[in-house]
Amino acid sequence: MFGLVDCNNFYASCERVFRPDLNGKPIVVLSNNDGCVIARSNEAKKLGVPMGAPAFKHRELFEKNDIKVFSSNFALYGDMSNRVMSILSTYTPKMEIYSIDEAFLNFDGFELFDLPMMGLEMREKILKGTGIPVSVGFASTKALAKIANCVAKKFPERTGGVYLIDTDEKRLKALKWLKVEDVWGIGRQHAKKLAYLGIRTAFDFVQLPDSWVKNNMSVVGLRLKRELEGERTLELEDIKQKQSIATTRSFDKMYTTLPELNERVVTFAVTGAEKLRQQKCCCNALMVFIHTNYFKDDLAQCNRNIVLKLPYPTNSSSELAKFAKEALAQIFLKGYSYKKAGVILLDIIPEMPHQLNIFENSNPKHKALMKAIDRINGDFGSHKVILAAQDPARRWKMKQENYSPRYTTKLDEIITIKCE
DNA sequence: TCTGGGGTCCTAGGACCC
DNA sequence: TCTGGGGTCCTAGGACCC
Protein backbone atom coordinates (compact mmCIF):
# COMPACT_ATOMS: atom_id res chain seq x y z
CA MET A 1 0.00 0.00 0.00
CA PHE A 2 0.94 3.58 -0.62
CA GLY A 3 -0.15 6.51 1.46
CA LEU A 4 -0.35 10.04 0.13
CA VAL A 5 -0.45 12.81 2.69
CA ASP A 6 -1.26 16.25 1.35
CA CYS A 7 -1.56 19.48 3.33
CA ASN A 8 -4.85 21.28 2.80
CA ASN A 9 -4.44 24.70 1.14
CA PHE A 10 -0.88 24.60 2.42
CA TYR A 11 0.34 28.21 2.12
CA ALA A 12 -2.98 29.57 3.31
CA SER A 13 -2.94 27.17 6.24
CA CYS A 14 0.61 28.23 7.16
CA GLU A 15 -0.47 31.85 7.31
CA ARG A 16 -3.34 30.93 9.60
CA VAL A 17 -1.30 28.91 12.08
CA PHE A 18 -0.10 32.04 13.84
CA ARG A 19 -3.24 34.03 13.08
CA PRO A 20 -6.06 32.04 14.64
CA ASP A 21 -8.24 35.13 14.28
CA LEU A 22 -8.35 34.27 10.57
CA ASN A 23 -9.80 30.79 11.03
CA GLY A 24 -12.96 30.50 8.97
CA LYS A 25 -12.10 33.71 7.09
CA PRO A 26 -11.23 33.82 3.39
CA ILE A 27 -7.52 34.32 2.71
CA VAL A 28 -5.32 34.16 -0.38
CA VAL A 29 -1.55 34.00 -0.86
CA LEU A 30 0.09 35.74 -3.81
CA SER A 31 3.10 34.73 -5.88
CA ASN A 32 6.40 36.64 -5.95
CA ASN A 33 5.94 40.31 -6.72
CA ASP A 34 2.37 39.97 -5.45
CA GLY A 35 1.47 38.83 -8.94
CA CYS A 36 -0.96 35.93 -8.98
CA VAL A 37 -3.05 33.98 -6.50
CA ILE A 38 -1.18 30.76 -5.69
CA ALA A 39 -3.13 29.55 -2.66
CA ARG A 40 -6.66 30.01 -1.34
CA SER A 41 -8.43 28.97 1.81
CA ASN A 42 -11.67 27.04 1.31
CA GLU A 43 -13.63 30.21 2.06
CA ALA A 44 -11.78 32.08 -0.71
CA LYS A 45 -12.41 29.22 -3.13
CA LYS A 46 -16.11 29.42 -2.36
CA LEU A 47 -16.10 33.14 -3.12
CA GLY A 48 -14.89 32.29 -6.61
CA VAL A 49 -11.26 33.40 -6.51
CA PRO A 50 -9.64 31.43 -9.34
CA MET A 51 -6.25 29.75 -8.99
CA GLY A 52 -3.55 31.75 -10.73
CA ALA A 53 -5.71 34.85 -10.93
CA PRO A 54 -3.72 38.09 -11.38
CA ALA A 55 -4.16 39.97 -8.12
CA PHE A 56 -4.69 43.38 -9.71
CA LYS A 57 -7.69 42.10 -11.62
CA HIS A 58 -9.40 40.91 -8.45
CA ARG A 59 -8.73 43.73 -6.00
CA GLU A 60 -12.41 44.58 -5.90
CA LEU A 61 -13.43 41.01 -5.15
CA PHE A 62 -10.87 40.92 -2.33
CA GLU A 63 -12.08 44.15 -0.80
CA LYS A 64 -15.77 43.50 -1.18
CA ASN A 65 -15.52 40.14 0.59
CA ASP A 66 -12.91 41.14 3.11
CA ILE A 67 -10.48 38.56 1.79
CA LYS A 68 -7.18 38.77 3.64
CA VAL A 69 -4.28 38.91 1.18
CA PHE A 70 -0.74 37.69 1.93
CA SER A 71 2.51 38.00 0.01
CA SER A 72 4.26 34.66 -0.21
CA ASN A 73 6.54 33.89 2.73
CA PHE A 74 8.63 30.93 1.65
CA ALA A 75 10.82 31.03 4.75
CA LEU A 76 7.70 30.21 6.77
CA TYR A 77 6.29 27.61 4.35
CA GLY A 78 9.60 25.79 3.99
CA ASP A 79 10.03 25.53 7.73
CA MET A 80 6.44 24.40 8.33
CA SER A 81 6.90 21.81 5.58
CA ASN A 82 9.97 20.40 7.36
CA ARG A 83 7.96 20.03 10.55
CA VAL A 84 5.15 18.16 8.81
CA MET A 85 7.60 15.88 6.99
CA SER A 86 9.50 15.13 10.14
CA ILE A 87 6.33 13.91 11.85
CA LEU A 88 5.44 11.80 8.81
CA SER A 89 8.86 10.18 8.75
CA THR A 90 8.10 8.55 12.10
CA TYR A 91 5.45 6.34 10.46
CA THR A 92 7.57 4.54 7.87
CA PRO A 93 11.20 4.63 6.79
CA LYS A 94 10.15 4.61 3.14
CA MET A 95 8.96 8.07 2.26
CA GLU A 96 9.19 10.31 -0.79
CA ILE A 97 8.78 14.03 -0.25
CA TYR A 98 6.95 14.77 -3.46
CA SER A 99 6.56 18.52 -3.05
CA ILE A 100 6.58 21.17 -0.36
CA ASP A 101 3.17 20.05 0.86
CA GLU A 102 2.82 16.36 0.10
CA ALA A 103 4.59 13.07 0.59
CA PHE A 104 4.14 9.48 -0.53
CA LEU A 105 4.62 6.86 2.15
CA ASN A 106 5.25 3.21 1.41
CA PHE A 107 3.49 0.72 3.65
CA ASP A 108 4.69 -2.56 2.18
CA GLY A 109 4.81 -5.03 5.02
CA PHE A 110 2.19 -3.21 7.07
CA GLU A 111 -0.55 -5.73 6.20
CA LEU A 112 -1.40 -6.27 9.84
CA PHE A 113 -1.79 -2.58 10.56
CA ASP A 114 -5.04 -0.69 10.49
CA LEU A 115 -4.06 1.98 7.96
CA PRO A 116 -7.14 4.18 8.25
CA MET A 117 -6.62 4.37 12.01
CA MET A 118 -3.01 5.26 11.41
CA GLY A 119 -4.11 7.94 8.95
CA LEU A 120 -6.38 9.50 11.52
CA GLU A 121 -3.56 9.50 14.03
CA MET A 122 -1.21 11.17 11.54
CA ARG A 123 -3.77 13.84 10.90
CA GLU A 124 -4.24 14.51 14.55
CA LYS A 125 -0.54 14.50 15.35
CA ILE A 126 0.29 16.89 12.51
CA LEU A 127 -2.57 19.20 13.38
CA LYS A 128 -1.53 19.29 17.00
CA GLY A 129 2.19 19.51 16.31
CA THR A 130 2.14 22.09 13.52
CA GLY A 131 -1.38 23.50 13.15
CA ILE A 132 -1.57 22.30 9.54
CA PRO A 133 -4.62 20.25 8.44
CA VAL A 134 -3.81 17.36 6.09
CA SER A 135 -5.69 14.74 4.09
CA VAL A 136 -4.57 11.14 3.78
CA GLY A 137 -5.24 8.66 0.98
CA PHE A 138 -4.27 4.98 0.87
CA ALA A 139 -4.28 2.66 -2.14
CA SER A 140 -2.23 0.03 -3.88
CA THR A 141 -0.67 2.41 -6.45
CA LYS A 142 0.54 5.98 -6.31
CA ALA A 143 -2.04 7.24 -8.79
CA LEU A 144 -4.86 5.59 -6.85
CA ALA A 145 -3.49 6.94 -3.57
CA LYS A 146 -3.73 10.40 -5.14
CA ILE A 147 -7.37 9.74 -5.90
CA ALA A 148 -8.04 8.38 -2.41
CA ASN A 149 -6.54 11.59 -1.08
CA CYS A 150 -8.85 13.61 -3.34
CA VAL A 151 -11.86 11.77 -1.91
CA ALA A 152 -10.65 12.34 1.66
CA LYS A 153 -10.20 16.05 1.01
CA LYS A 154 -13.51 16.46 -0.80
CA PHE A 155 -15.65 14.73 1.83
CA PRO A 156 -14.08 15.52 5.19
CA GLU A 157 -17.29 14.97 7.16
CA ARG A 158 -17.83 11.50 5.77
CA THR A 159 -14.18 10.37 5.70
CA GLY A 160 -12.62 12.24 8.58
CA GLY A 161 -9.96 13.33 6.11
CA VAL A 162 -8.71 9.78 5.54
CA TYR A 163 -9.75 7.41 2.76
CA LEU A 164 -8.61 3.95 1.80
CA ILE A 165 -9.16 2.28 -1.58
CA ASP A 166 -8.67 -1.41 -0.89
CA THR A 167 -11.33 -3.14 -3.00
CA ASP A 168 -12.18 -3.13 -6.69
CA GLU A 169 -15.59 -1.82 -5.83
CA LYS A 170 -14.16 1.25 -4.12
CA ARG A 171 -11.66 1.72 -6.92
CA LEU A 172 -14.33 1.74 -9.61
CA LYS A 173 -16.58 3.98 -7.57
CA ALA A 174 -13.76 6.49 -7.17
CA LEU A 175 -12.82 6.31 -10.86
CA LYS A 176 -16.41 6.97 -11.89
CA TRP A 177 -16.57 9.91 -9.53
CA LEU A 178 -13.31 11.63 -10.57
CA LYS A 179 -13.35 13.93 -13.59
CA VAL A 180 -10.69 12.95 -16.07
CA GLU A 181 -9.03 16.37 -16.00
CA ASP A 182 -8.48 15.95 -12.25
CA VAL A 183 -6.48 12.76 -12.67
CA TRP A 184 -2.84 13.09 -11.64
CA GLY A 185 -0.86 13.16 -14.90
CA ILE A 186 -3.65 14.39 -17.16
CA GLY A 187 -3.17 18.05 -17.89
CA ARG A 188 -4.98 20.62 -19.95
CA GLN A 189 -3.84 19.44 -23.37
CA HIS A 190 -4.73 15.80 -22.90
CA ALA A 191 -7.98 16.70 -21.13
CA LYS A 192 -9.03 18.70 -24.17
CA LYS A 193 -8.32 15.82 -26.52
CA LEU A 194 -10.13 13.39 -24.22
CA ALA A 195 -13.15 15.64 -23.89
CA TYR A 196 -13.41 15.65 -27.66
CA LEU A 197 -13.73 11.87 -27.56
CA GLY A 198 -16.42 12.10 -24.89
CA ILE A 199 -14.13 10.85 -22.12
CA ARG A 200 -15.43 12.50 -18.95
CA THR A 201 -14.28 10.46 -15.97
CA ALA A 202 -11.22 8.51 -14.90
CA PHE A 203 -13.33 5.40 -15.47
CA ASP A 204 -13.96 6.37 -19.11
CA PHE A 205 -10.22 6.89 -19.54
CA VAL A 206 -9.44 3.40 -18.33
CA GLN A 207 -11.81 1.97 -20.97
CA LEU A 208 -9.72 3.38 -23.84
CA PRO A 209 -7.62 0.89 -25.81
CA ASP A 210 -3.94 0.76 -24.84
CA SER A 211 -2.91 1.57 -28.40
CA TRP A 212 -4.79 4.86 -28.39
CA VAL A 213 -3.32 5.85 -25.04
CA LYS A 214 0.20 4.93 -26.15
CA ASN A 215 -0.07 6.81 -29.43
CA ASN A 216 -1.60 9.92 -27.98
CA MET A 217 -0.11 10.09 -24.51
CA SER A 218 3.08 8.05 -24.88
CA VAL A 219 4.30 5.53 -22.34
CA VAL A 220 3.58 8.07 -19.61
CA GLY A 221 -0.14 7.83 -20.32
CA LEU A 222 0.01 4.07 -20.54
CA ARG A 223 1.73 3.78 -17.18
CA LEU A 224 -0.96 5.99 -15.71
CA LYS A 225 -3.68 3.77 -17.12
CA ARG A 226 -2.06 0.71 -15.53
CA GLU A 227 -1.82 2.52 -12.21
CA LEU A 228 -5.53 3.35 -12.29
CA GLU A 229 -6.26 -0.30 -13.08
CA GLY A 230 -4.44 -1.20 -9.89
CA GLU A 231 -1.14 -2.37 -11.38
CA ARG A 232 1.89 -0.81 -9.77
CA THR A 233 4.14 0.94 -12.31
CA LEU A 234 5.43 3.83 -10.22
CA GLU A 235 7.63 3.32 -7.18
CA LEU A 236 8.91 5.69 -4.53
CA GLU A 237 11.68 7.84 -5.90
CA ASP A 238 14.90 8.56 -4.07
CA ILE A 239 15.83 12.06 -3.22
CA LYS A 240 18.10 12.81 -6.10
CA GLN A 241 20.32 15.71 -6.77
CA LYS A 242 18.73 18.27 -9.00
CA GLN A 243 19.45 17.98 -12.70
CA SER A 244 18.92 21.68 -13.26
CA ILE A 245 18.78 24.68 -10.99
CA ALA A 246 16.81 27.68 -12.15
CA THR A 247 16.83 31.20 -10.76
CA THR A 248 14.45 33.46 -12.63
CA ARG A 249 12.56 36.62 -11.76
CA SER A 250 10.24 39.18 -13.24
CA PHE A 251 11.40 42.75 -12.67
CA ASP A 252 9.54 45.45 -10.84
CA LYS A 253 9.99 47.68 -13.88
CA MET A 254 11.19 47.40 -17.44
CA TYR A 255 14.95 47.18 -17.96
CA THR A 256 16.41 48.49 -21.19
CA THR A 257 20.18 48.60 -20.74
CA LEU A 258 22.84 45.93 -20.55
CA PRO A 259 24.30 47.08 -17.18
CA GLU A 260 20.90 46.80 -15.50
CA LEU A 261 20.41 43.28 -16.82
CA ASN A 262 24.00 42.38 -15.96
CA GLU A 263 23.39 42.99 -12.30
CA ARG A 264 20.27 40.79 -12.29
CA VAL A 265 21.88 37.97 -14.22
CA VAL A 266 24.97 37.99 -11.99
CA THR A 267 22.78 37.82 -8.90
CA PHE A 268 20.82 34.90 -10.38
CA ALA A 269 24.06 33.08 -11.18
CA VAL A 270 25.28 33.62 -7.61
CA THR A 271 22.02 32.31 -6.15
CA GLY A 272 22.20 29.25 -8.41
CA ALA A 273 25.83 28.68 -7.46
CA GLU A 274 24.89 28.70 -3.78
CA LYS A 275 22.26 26.02 -4.36
CA LEU A 276 24.75 24.05 -6.41
CA ARG A 277 27.29 24.08 -3.57
CA GLN A 278 24.60 23.08 -1.10
CA GLN A 279 24.03 19.86 -3.00
CA LYS A 280 27.80 19.45 -3.44
CA CYS A 281 27.72 19.62 -7.21
CA CYS A 282 29.22 21.48 -10.14
CA CYS A 283 27.63 22.35 -13.45
CA ASN A 284 29.00 22.01 -16.97
CA ALA A 285 26.65 24.41 -18.73
CA LEU A 286 24.32 27.28 -18.08
CA MET A 287 21.45 28.93 -19.87
CA VAL A 288 20.66 32.61 -19.71
CA PHE A 289 17.38 33.96 -21.00
CA ILE A 290 15.77 37.38 -21.21
CA HIS A 291 12.36 38.37 -22.39
CA THR A 292 10.05 41.31 -22.73
CA ASN A 293 6.58 41.57 -21.25
CA TYR A 294 4.39 39.21 -23.29
CA PHE A 295 1.23 40.65 -21.81
CA LYS A 296 1.87 43.86 -23.74
CA ASP A 297 0.87 43.12 -27.31
CA ASP A 298 1.63 46.67 -28.39
CA LEU A 299 5.30 46.54 -27.42
CA ALA A 300 8.03 45.03 -29.57
CA GLN A 301 8.67 41.53 -28.22
CA CYS A 302 12.04 39.90 -27.77
CA ASN A 303 12.60 36.45 -26.34
CA ARG A 304 16.14 35.13 -26.39
CA ASN A 305 18.16 32.45 -24.71
CA ILE A 306 21.54 30.83 -25.03
CA VAL A 307 23.18 27.74 -23.59
CA LEU A 308 26.83 28.18 -22.76
CA LYS A 309 29.00 25.09 -22.39
CA LEU A 310 31.58 25.78 -19.73
CA PRO A 311 35.26 24.95 -20.31
CA TYR A 312 35.31 23.12 -16.97
CA PRO A 313 32.78 22.13 -14.32
CA THR A 314 32.44 24.69 -11.54
CA ASN A 315 30.30 25.85 -8.65
CA SER A 316 32.18 29.06 -7.99
CA SER A 317 29.90 32.09 -7.76
CA SER A 318 32.35 34.39 -9.45
CA GLU A 319 33.14 32.00 -12.30
CA LEU A 320 29.47 31.31 -12.96
CA ALA A 321 28.73 35.04 -12.75
CA LYS A 322 31.42 35.67 -15.33
CA PHE A 323 30.05 33.03 -17.70
CA ALA A 324 26.50 34.28 -17.22
CA LYS A 325 27.61 37.80 -18.13
CA GLU A 326 29.31 36.52 -21.26
CA ALA A 327 26.17 34.65 -22.23
CA LEU A 328 23.98 37.67 -21.63
CA ALA A 329 26.23 39.87 -23.78
CA GLN A 330 25.70 37.44 -26.65
CA ILE A 331 21.92 37.58 -26.58
CA PHE A 332 21.25 41.16 -25.45
CA LEU A 333 19.65 43.36 -28.09
CA LYS A 334 19.22 47.10 -27.71
CA GLY A 335 15.86 48.74 -28.11
CA TYR A 336 13.66 46.41 -26.08
CA SER A 337 12.12 46.72 -22.64
CA TYR A 338 12.92 43.56 -20.72
CA LYS A 339 10.62 42.28 -17.99
CA LYS A 340 12.15 39.00 -16.97
CA ALA A 341 15.44 37.14 -16.98
CA GLY A 342 16.84 33.93 -15.61
CA VAL A 343 19.89 31.74 -15.23
CA ILE A 344 19.52 27.97 -15.36
CA LEU A 345 22.44 25.77 -14.36
CA LEU A 346 22.58 22.57 -16.42
CA ASP A 347 24.51 19.34 -16.83
CA ILE A 348 25.03 19.01 -13.10
CA ILE A 349 27.58 16.52 -11.76
CA PRO A 350 28.92 15.69 -8.29
CA GLU A 351 31.67 17.97 -7.05
CA MET A 352 33.85 14.95 -6.26
CA PRO A 353 34.99 13.13 -8.18
CA HIS A 354 34.94 14.94 -11.47
CA GLN A 355 37.00 14.88 -14.60
CA LEU A 356 39.64 17.57 -14.77
CA ASN A 357 40.44 19.38 -17.98
CA ILE A 358 44.03 19.20 -19.27
CA PHE A 359 44.28 22.86 -20.20
CA GLU A 360 41.88 24.83 -18.10
CA ASN A 361 40.30 24.30 -14.71
CA SER A 362 38.26 26.03 -12.10
CA ASN A 363 40.43 28.32 -9.99
CA PRO A 364 41.38 26.13 -7.00
CA LYS A 365 41.43 29.12 -4.66
CA HIS A 366 37.72 29.65 -5.19
CA LYS A 367 36.80 26.55 -3.24
CA ALA A 368 38.05 27.96 0.04
CA LEU A 369 36.70 31.39 -0.81
CA MET A 370 33.21 30.05 -1.50
CA LYS A 371 33.29 28.04 1.69
CA ALA A 372 34.10 31.17 3.65
CA ILE A 373 31.40 33.20 1.91
CA ASP A 374 28.79 30.49 2.46
CA ARG A 375 29.67 30.36 6.14
CA ILE A 376 29.47 34.09 6.64
CA ASN A 377 26.19 34.35 4.78
CA GLY A 378 24.90 31.32 6.65
CA ASP A 379 25.76 32.73 10.06
CA PHE A 380 24.96 36.39 9.52
CA GLY A 381 22.24 36.34 6.90
CA SER A 382 22.34 35.94 3.14
CA HIS A 383 23.68 38.77 1.00
CA LYS A 384 26.11 39.92 3.66
CA VAL A 385 28.96 39.10 1.29
CA ILE A 386 28.19 39.67 -2.39
CA LEU A 387 30.11 40.18 -5.60
CA ALA A 388 30.95 43.73 -6.63
CA ALA A 389 28.86 43.20 -9.76
CA GLN A 390 25.75 42.74 -7.63
CA ASP A 391 23.80 45.77 -6.58
CA PRO A 392 25.11 46.66 -3.11
CA ALA A 393 22.10 48.87 -2.40
CA ARG A 394 19.64 46.09 -3.30
CA ARG A 395 17.39 48.44 -5.21
CA TRP A 396 15.59 45.61 -7.00
CA LYS A 397 13.31 44.76 -4.08
CA MET A 398 10.42 42.50 -4.85
CA LYS A 399 6.93 43.83 -4.37
CA GLN A 400 5.69 42.30 -1.10
CA GLU A 401 3.04 44.48 0.40
CA ASN A 402 1.53 41.93 2.75
CA TYR A 403 4.49 39.94 4.00
CA SER A 404 3.80 38.07 7.22
CA PRO A 405 6.47 37.63 9.91
CA ARG A 406 8.87 34.69 9.64
CA TYR A 407 7.42 33.36 12.88
CA THR A 408 9.47 30.18 13.03
CA THR A 409 12.83 31.06 11.49
CA LYS A 410 13.68 34.59 12.64
CA LEU A 411 14.26 35.37 16.30
CA ASP A 412 13.08 38.97 16.15
CA GLU A 413 9.88 37.99 14.33
CA ILE A 414 8.79 35.34 16.79
CA ILE A 415 5.34 35.83 18.34
CA THR A 416 4.95 37.40 21.75
CA ILE A 417 2.49 35.91 24.18
CA LYS A 418 1.04 38.10 26.88
CA CYS A 419 0.09 36.27 30.05
CA GLU A 420 -2.27 38.09 32.33
C1' DT B 1 0.51 50.62 -13.07
C1' DC B 2 -0.16 45.57 -12.07
C1' DT B 3 0.15 39.03 -14.93
C1' DG B 4 5.18 33.56 -10.42
C1' DG B 5 8.79 30.29 -10.01
C1' DG B 6 10.96 25.78 -10.15
C1' DG B 7 11.13 21.28 -11.60
C1' DT B 8 10.70 16.29 -14.43
C1' DC B 9 10.17 13.07 -18.28
C1' DC B 10 9.39 11.69 -23.16
C1' DT B 11 9.58 11.96 -28.28
C1' DA B 12 10.89 13.00 -32.94
C1' DG B 13 14.25 14.17 -35.91
C1' DG B 14 18.88 15.23 -37.26
C1' DA B 15 23.78 14.26 -37.15
C1' DC B 16 26.88 11.07 -36.61
C1' DC B 17 29.19 6.29 -36.12
C1' DC B 18 30.48 1.51 -38.08
C1' DT C 1 17.09 0.64 -63.32
C1' DC C 2 19.36 -0.27 -58.99
C1' DT C 3 21.51 2.98 -53.26
C1' DG C 4 21.60 -1.37 -46.12
C1' DG C 5 21.13 -1.97 -41.54
C1' DG C 6 21.83 -0.97 -36.94
C1' DG C 7 23.16 1.90 -33.57
C1' DT C 8 24.09 6.38 -30.27
C1' DC C 9 23.86 11.07 -28.90
C1' DC C 10 21.98 15.56 -28.86
C1' DT C 11 18.40 19.04 -29.10
C1' DA C 12 14.06 21.40 -29.23
C1' DG C 13 9.65 21.17 -28.06
C1' DG C 14 5.76 19.46 -25.63
C1' DA C 15 3.55 17.43 -21.96
C1' DC C 16 3.11 17.14 -17.06
C1' DC C 17 3.71 18.28 -11.76
C1' DC C 18 3.69 21.43 -7.45
Side-chain angles (χ1 to χ4, degrees):
Chain A
M1 278 285 172
F2 282 109
L4 175 68
V5 182
D6 190 311
C7 301
N8 302 346
N9 314 323
F10 183 55
Y11 297 165
S13 298
C14 287
E15 295 293 350
R16 273 210 290 228
V17 168
F18 297 94
R19 290 288 309 271
D21 58 305
L22 294 177
N23 283 339
K25 304 255 167 69
I27 72 175
V28 298
V29 178
L30 304 182
S31 61
N32 279 346
N33 274 321
D34 291 346
C36 298
V37 173
I38 54 170
R40 307 156 294 161
S41 69
N42 286 340
E43 299 78 16
K45 285 179 190 170
K46 261 185 214 133
L47 287 167
V49 182
M51 185 64 172
F56 76 93
K57 283 191 181 169
H58 293 83
R59 289 271 174 241
E60 234 171 83
L61 182 67
F62 296 162
E63 275 163 32
K64 208 171 73 193
N65 296 287
D66 205 17
I67 298 177
K68 176 84 178 142
V69 178
F70 287 94
S71 304
S72 39
N73 182 346
F74 289 106
L76 176 65
Y77 312 150
D79 186 63
M80 294 305 287
S81 170
N82 289 338
R83 291 166 189 234
V84 171
M85 299 304 170
S86 125
I87 294 175
L88 283 180
S89 68
T90 62
Y91 284 89
T92 166
K94 292 188 213 152
M95 165 163 130
E96 173 191 347
I97 298 177
Y98 181 69
S99 74
I100 192 163
D101 75 332
E102 64 189 290
F104 284 102
L105 307 174
N106 180 296
F107 289 112
D108 288 351
F110 283 62
E111 286 77 15
L112 298 177
F113 284 67
D114 183 343
L115 290 179
M117 275 300 286
M118 207 159 139
L120 288 169
E121 190 196 307
M122 280 180 203
R123 256 189 69 102
E124 223 167 280
K125 229 176 180 173
I126 292 171
L127 191 63
K128 190 170 176 198
T130 68
I132 303 288
V134 303
S135 302
V136 187
F138 294 104
S140 57
T141 70
K142 284 173 115 179
L144 287 172
K146 269 269 188 191
I147 297 180
N149 186 287
C150 254
V151 174
K153 192 171 287 181
K154 198 79 181 184
F155 307 104
E157 324 76 36
R158 247 186 289 170
T159 62
V162 178
Y163 192 68
L164 164 78
I165 296 179
D166 58 347
T167 64
D168 234 23
E169 197 191 335
K170 282 183 174 177
R171 181 178 70 84
L172 294 173
K173 192 175 163 198
L175 290 184
K176 284 178 183 162
W177 165 76
L178 191 68
K179 284 193 256 149
V180 73
E181 63 266 31
D182 295 335
V183 174
W184 182 47
I186 295 183
R188 257 214 298 273
Q189 299 308 315
H190 288 323
K192 219 193 295 176
K193 210 185 277 180
L194 291 165
Y196 190 72
L197 289 179
I199 307 295
R200 307 169 57 87
T201 66
F203 179 80
D204 296 342
F205 171 69
V206 175
Q207 306 309 308
L208 285 168
D210 283 358
S211 55
W212 188 94
V213 176
K214 173 88 202 294
N215 287 337
N216 289 275
M217 302 171 68
S218 84
V219 296
V220 182
L222 202 53
R223 274 204 290 259
L224 175 63
K225 187 181 168 211
R226 294 276 176 278
E227 285 264 311
L228 298 179
E229 288 164 341
E231 184 187 323
R232 215 149 126 172
T233 63
L234 303 171
E235 293 298 327
L236 283 198
E237 285 179 29
D238 300 329
I239 316 131
K240 284 173 290 186
Q241 274 146 347
K242 298 232 187 320
Q243 298 171 36
S244 64
I245 292 174
T247 312
T248 71
R249 289 288 178 280
S250 301
F251 309 140
D252 47 348
K253 57 182 174 99
M254 305 287 203
Y255 286 1
T256 53
T257 69
L258 187 55
E260 287 174 308
L261 285 171
N262 254 331
E263 189 283 326
R264 295 286 58 215
V265 162
V266 165
T267 296
F268 298 158
V270 169
T271 304
E274 279 166 4
K275 292 185 195 165
L276 203 50
R277 294 196 293 275
Q278 264 168 33
Q279 68 169 46
K280 297 200 179 342
C281 284
C282 290
C283 69
N284 278 302
L286 62 77
M287 177 199 272
V288 173
F289 73 80
I290 47 176
H291 60 70
T292 45
N293 188 344
Y294 45 68
F295 291 104
K296 302 261 182 254
D297 314 336
D298 47 332
L299 286 182
Q301 295 289 319
C302 178
N303 200 340
R304 287 167 67 85
N305 71 71
I306 185 173
V307 174
L308 202 69
K309 302 230 165 183
L310 308 185
Y312 44 81
T314 178
N315 60 18
S316 151
S317 292
S318 45
E319 284 174 342
L320 286 168
K322 183 188 77 178
F323 292 128
K325 268 172 78 170
E326 282 174 25
L328 173 64
Q330 288 186 48
I331 54 172
F332 176 78
L333 293 179
K334 257 192 192 157
Y336 293 96
S337 299
Y338 296 98
K339 179 65 180 167
K340 181 170 176 167
V343 174
I344 305 172
L345 306 181
L346 303 162
D347 195 356
I348 292 174
I349 56 161
E351 191 172 33
M352 290 300 282
H354 76 243
Q355 185 65 50
L356 296 173
N357 187 313
I358 297 182
F359 305 106
E360 217 180 340
N361 282 298
S362 182
N363 185 335
K365 288 182 176 170
H366 283 204
K367 197 171 172 187
L369 178 61
M370 292 305 135
K371 211 172 156 187
I373 292 178
D374 288 341
R375 251 193 90 180
I376 296 171
N377 286 339
D379 288 353
F380 300 100
S382 50
H383 306 287
K384 286 288 182 291
V385 179
I386 58 173
L387 298 184
Q390 297 180 254
D391 178 10
R394 293 198 74 189
R395 277 165 298 189
W396 40 269
K397 271 232 153 66
M398 215 165 19
K399 189 174 158 198
Q400 285 177 319
E401 288 175 353
N402 304 288
Y403 194 60
S404 51
R406 288 160 287 182
Y407 301 104
T408 61
T409 54
K410 197 91 176 142
L411 261 188
D412 34 351
E413 295 178 17
I414 209 161
I415 51 167
T416 312
I417 299 174
K418 291 192 181 109
C419 302
E420 300 273 316

